């Protein structure tokens, strides 16, 4: 079987979902009728695509659309109780979580569409969601500036939750403004979490100790982050159009032109970077921008390998798929 590696991008402008082959540059398929919010696109277990949809009013119910790989038309529609922005699913694609405008988190069984759990997670809208690598924890970020870590064991065990002092494992509240993105490293409960915020900082947290390990201040608001598989650096996409390379382990360099722990940046355009994704091996970095372009960067030489044009408006969600 030929290895297939795809980059998938969506937009809030009803431009559909673009899907391109990373190796050939050919457009794989254009999925129709999609107006997604930030972090609202997910590849479900490698079997199909799902996207939450922008709603005209916050009071209306939400909708999530599903597409099969080989058909451009929407296959299934579901209607949650409120508008959903971020979506995330576990590696097997058996369940999916969504973050609501009310601050609630929803957890659905994919095969049946059944709502398994719903809980009030934040005081304001949920902006981003990630599972950790062993799928035991769910990390959420919010407009209220907090990052919270949820144990799925506790989410499903009512007795355990009643005994606990609080429903979450950790609540990180050091960000002063809206959290824009979160990523997690490898190592299960011993992994790190990196969060980005409109306060122009990215913060690195220890999941095992529940402590702040590093605070990095950027010259611009950061809306997207991607963690290199080696966990030496992470990439931070700024509203100034630059993708900053930040050190996770290096000793602070007080002579850096960009700021403490910032090693350099990639730049090809002036429009804001809205989303980032890395290929599994970390060799290619994919960026989506307000200019409607998807750029594929070689992480070794920092050159652009490919450019895909998706839409006239912003690209606000990216994901990758590989069948290897």
């Amino acid at each position: 079987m030929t290895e297939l590696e795809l980059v998938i991008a969506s937009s809030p402008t009803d431009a559909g979902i673009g899907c391109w082959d990373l190796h050939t540059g050919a457009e794989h398929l254009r999925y129709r009728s999609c107006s997604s919010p930030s972090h609202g696109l997910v590849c479900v277990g490698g079997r199909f695509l799902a996207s939450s949809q922008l709603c005209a009013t916050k009071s209306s119910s939400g909708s999530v659309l599903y597409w099969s790989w080989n058909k451009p038309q929407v296959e299934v529609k579901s209607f949650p109780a409120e508008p959903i922005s971020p979506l995330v699913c576990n590696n097997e694609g058996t369940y999916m979580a969504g973050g609501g405008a009310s601050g609630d988190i929803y957890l659905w069984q994919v095969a049946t569409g059944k709502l398994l759990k719903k809980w009030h997670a934040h005081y304001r809208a949920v902006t981003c969601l990630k599972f950790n690598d062993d799928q035991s924890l769910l990390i959420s970020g919010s407009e209220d500036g907090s990052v919270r870590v949820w144990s799925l064991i506790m989410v499903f065990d009512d007795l355990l939750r009643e005994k606990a002092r609080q429903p979450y494992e950790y609540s990180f509240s050091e960000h002063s403004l809206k959290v824009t993105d979160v990523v997690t490293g490898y190592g299960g409960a011993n992994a790190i979490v990196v969060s980005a915020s409109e306060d122009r900082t990215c913060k690195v947290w220890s999941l095992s100790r529940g402590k702040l390990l590093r605070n990095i201040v950027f010259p611009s608001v950061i809306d997207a982050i991607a963690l290199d598989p080696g966990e030496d650096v992470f990439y931070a996409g700024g509203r100034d159009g630059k993708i900053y390379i930040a050190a996770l382990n290096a000793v602070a360099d007080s002579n850096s032109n960009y700021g403490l722990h910032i090693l350099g940046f990639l730049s090809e355009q002036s429009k804001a970077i809205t989303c980032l994704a890395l290929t599994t091996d970390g060799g290619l970095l994919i960026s989506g921008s307000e200019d409607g372009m998807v750029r594929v960067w070689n992480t070794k030489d920092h050159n652009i390998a490919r450019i895909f044009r998706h839409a006239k408006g912003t690209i606000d969600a990216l994901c990758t798929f590989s069948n290897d």
Side-chain angles (χ1 to χ4, degrees), residues 9 17-18 47 53 67 95 114 167 170 189 193 228 258 282 318:
I17 299 171
R47 299 190 306 276
Q53 298 297 292
W67 294 261
Y95 51 87
K114 181 185 175 185
Y170 301 115
V193 170
D228 182 81
Y258 321 111
L318 274 178

Side-chain angles (χ1 to χ4, degrees), residues 50-192:
S51 174
S52 52
Q53 298 297 292
L54 285 171
C55 293
T57 62
K58 284 201 171 183
S59 58
S60 65
S61 68
S63 63
V64 178
L65 308 182
Y66 299 84
W67 294 261
S68 297
W69 276 120
N70 55 354
K71 292 180 183 174
Q73 297 87 2
V74 175
E75 195 101 332
V76 176
K77 297 180 183 181
S78 67
F79 299 96
E82 64 166 318
I84 301 293
S85 282
L87 284 178
V88 68
C89 73
N90 65 332
N91 289 339
E92 294 77 26
T94 49
Y95 51 87
M96 186 163 70
S102 66
D104 289 353
I105 292 177
Y106 299 78
L107 195 63
W108 297 282
Q109 186 177 47
V110 170
T112 62
K114 181 185 175 185
L115 180 64
L116 300 175
K117 285 288 173 183
K118 170 194 153 186
W119 69 96
H120 192 60
H122 293 275
Y123 300 113
R124 295 184 66 190
V126 181
T127 53
C128 42
L129 291 168
K130 283 286 187 309
F131 285 111
N132 71 329
D133 75 312
D134 71 4
Q135 317 290 287
S136 64
L137 301 171
L138 179 65
I139 296 95
S140 61
S142 169
E143 279 183 6
D144 63 20
S146 68
V147 175
R148 286 183 169 169
V149 180
W150 309 90
S151 160
L152 292 184
I153 293 170
M154 194 182 289
V155 164
F156 284 108
D157 191 327
D158 296 336
L159 213 60
L160 206 61
R161 204 165 54 254
E162 281 170 23
K163 288 180 183 174
R165 282 183 303 160
Q166 68 271 327
Y168 42 77
E169 293 284 301
Y170 301 115
S171 182
F172 304 130
S173 54
E174 279 84 345
H175 283 301
S176 58
L177 294 171
K178 170 185 170 181
V179 176
T180 54
D181 203 1
V182 291
V183 294
T184 67
Y186 303 96
N190 295 314
I192 57 166

Side-chain angles (χ1 to χ4, degrees), residues 20 22 38 90 92 95 103 119 124 163 166 168 192 203 206 213 215 218 231 244 260 266 279 286 290 296:
W20 300 270
L22 264 177
S38 182
N90 65 332
E92 294 77 26
Y95 51 87
W119 69 96
R124 295 184 66 190
K163 288 180 183 174
Q166 68 271 327
Y168 42 77
I192 57 166
K203 299 184 191 293
S206 163
L213 302 176
N215 180 54
F218 289 84
E231 297 190 25
Y244 293 94
L260 212 57
L266 314 177
T279 51
I286 301 118
E290 268 188 358
V296 181

Side-chain angles (χ1 to χ4, degrees), residues 266-298:
L266 314 177
S267 181
E268 172 67 15
Q269 74 284 323
S270 58
K271 292 277 190 177
I273 303 294
T274 51
C275 39
L276 292 173
L278 273 163
T279 51
T280 313
D281 63 1
L284 296 173
L285 174 70
I286 301 118
S287 65
S289 168
E290 268 188 358
D291 63 8
M293 309 291 271
V294 176
R295 292 171 177 84
V296 181
W297 307 79
N298 186 310

